[in-house]
Amino acid sequence: MMETPVRKAVIPCAGLGTRFLPATKAQPKEMLPVFDRPAIQYIIEEALASDIEDIVLVTGRGKQAIENHFDKSFELEHYLKERKQYQLLNKVERIAELADIYYVRQKQPLGLGHAISCAKSYLQHEPFAVFLADDLIYSKTPAIKQLINVYKKYNCSVLAVEEVPVEKISHYGVIKPVKISESVFKVEDIVEKPKASEAPSNLGVVGRYILMPEILDILSGVQKGKGGEIQLTDAIKILLKTKPVYAVKLNGKRYDTGDKLGYMKASLEYALRDKEIGGKLKKYLKTV
Ligand code: G1P
């Protein structure tokens, strides 16, 4: 039987961005620029490059700048047209044409599992992708496409994982893996943010998932877990009792832009890769 294609994605964006205050006092953290575009734009571009064009953003109060970014801006386009700044015009117009983006509000900060539940009626009965916007992954094959390739083979939920250093284990959902190949694992169990001494492995879940629609019904029955939040990890643990779940070690470089150092590394390295300023920036960095 052919698997159902993954056409939809949900991107939770309701977080308050407290780690980046005061920069995030009046603007969403997803709009902080990583080099020349807001972080959220890289995520949308990754989805599109993986043939996902139906995207729902789970937002909250104070996130209107995200909607404006992906909307047409008549004033700005008119201004650029009048001044014949066609290159810039093209960049601005392209953003609004990127994808069909829908918005749903998460009214209370009840966790990742709850955020995904908020998009339930939109997601319906199809497998869907989840992107956590803090994680940017620079890779030849888009990260979510790497997961979709594994999904196509096993027709089940797939999680992105990475080997994490021991002192960071307690920041991640951690899997108990059975190795299938160099980069693919069958998930036997999963624990949300365990102590390093109790972790079933050093493979932490990073911000990309392909999930089967059953997870939505499971999520509606999940009780508050770690940190008093409805945890996606707890729902995956229940899913595992009846359905297989796989994990894939991503090929590429991941930046955790939710962390100040990770954010700076991302911004710097995306700039270093830029044709126009990369070389000059590299030269400059040698002088500081
Ligand atoms: C969430 C998940 C966790 C996962 C992590 C990846 O945690 O709950 O399982 O490993 O994202 O970034 P958060 O970082 O939102 O606390």
Side-chain angles (χ1 to χ4, degrees):
M1 201 178 70
M2 275 276 286
E3 78 293 331
T4 317
V6 180
R7 303 178 310 164
K8 294 189 173 181
V10 50
I11 311 179
C13 291
L16 294 175
T18 46
R19 281 193 280 179
F20 278 86
L21 281 170
T24 49
K25 187 177 171 209
Q27 66 173 334
K29 70 170 174 174
E30 296 78 9
M31 288 301 293
L32 294 183
V34 171
F35 178 44
D36 65 352
R37 66 199 75 180
I40 186 72
Q41 192 175 327
Y42 290 97
I43 303 284
I44 302 288
E45 286 171 356
E46 182 187 323
L48 296 177
S50 310
D51 301 319
I52 297 174
E53 290 176 353
D54 246 346
I55 299 169
V56 61
L57 260 56
V58 183
T59 65
R61 207 167 273 282
K63 299 280 181 170
Q64 294 88 335
I66 303 179
E67 293 187 40
N68 292 340
H69 183 71
F70 293 107
D71 196 0
K72 271 187 93 62
S73 171
F74 289 106
E75 280 157 294
L76 183 60
E77 287 170 28
H78 177 72
Y79 176 92
L80 295 171
K81 235 176 253 167
E82 287 225 311
R83 281 157 188 76
K84 302 195 180 356
Q85 292 182 292
Y86 294 119
Q87 248 184 328
L88 277 181
L89 177 67
N90 185 27
K91 272 191 194 169
V92 168
E93 282 179 336
R94 196 181 67 90
I95 299 167
E97 286 157 10
L98 281 175
D100 283 333
I101 303 181
Y102 303 88
Y103 299 89
V104 56
R105 286 225 182 181
Q106 184 182 19
K107 294 178 188 138
Q108 284 173 284
L110 293 179
L112 175 58
H114 177 254
I116 293 169
S117 300
C118 293
K120 184 174 180 177
S121 58
Y122 160 86
L123 295 167
Q124 300 286 354
H125 309 294
E126 294 177 35
F128 60 92
V130 178
F131 293 76
L132 303 189
D134 277 349
D135 280 329
L136 293 189
I137 298 149
Y138 182 81
S139 56
K140 208 163 143 211
T141 305
I144 206 75
K145 182 111 189 197
Q146 297 180 38
L147 269 68
I148 290 174
N149 290 341
V150 176
Y151 159 77
K152 280 184 176 162
K153 191 159 174 194
Y154 298 102
N155 198 12
C156 67
S157 301
V158 184
L159 321 175
V161 291
E162 188 174 277
E163 284 177 20
V164 293
V166 86
E167 69 280 8
K168 290 263 171 86
I169 290 267
S170 62
H171 298 202
Y172 292 88
V174 180
I175 64 161
K176 182 176 177 196
V178 174
K179 193 168 176 175
I180 304 290
S181 70
E182 245 350 277
S183 59
V184 178
F185 305 86
K186 191 163 189 289
V187 178
E188 289 238 300
D189 195 11
I190 184 163
V191 197
E192 180 67 6
K193 304 193 172 89
K195 284 188 195 148
S197 57
E198 289 163 12
S201 74
N202 66 344
L203 291 173
V205 176
V206 294
R208 301 291 183 273
Y209 307 75
I210 300 294
L211 295 172
M212 297 305 266
E214 295 96 298
I215 200 84
L216 295 166
D217 286 333
I218 297 176
L219 272 172
S220 40
V222 164
Q223 302 297 311
K224 287 181 182 171
K226 266 263 151 78
E229 297 187 339
I230 311 274
Q231 296 290 353
L232 175 60
T233 300
D234 293 343
I236 296 173
K237 201 181 175 83
I238 297 172
L239 179 70
L240 270 171
K241 290 184 188 157
T242 52
K243 292 280 160 71
V245 175
Y246 280 73
V248 57
K249 228 196 283 183
L250 294 176
N251 203 338
K253 183 158 187 184
R254 167 184 167 252
Y255 302 90
D256 176 8
T257 66
D259 164 89
K260 280 188 182 159
L261 183 59
Y263 173 77
M264 290 311 296
K265 284 182 186 167
S267 218
L268 191 64
E269 290 184 31
Y270 277 86
L272 283 169
R273 292 184 193 111
D274 183 67
K275 276 199 234 90
E276 212 178 302
I277 71 147
K280 290 178 202 153
L281 178 61
K282 194 168 183 180
K283 226 178 191 170
Y284 169 72
L285 286 173
K286 286 186 183 144
T287 70
V288 294

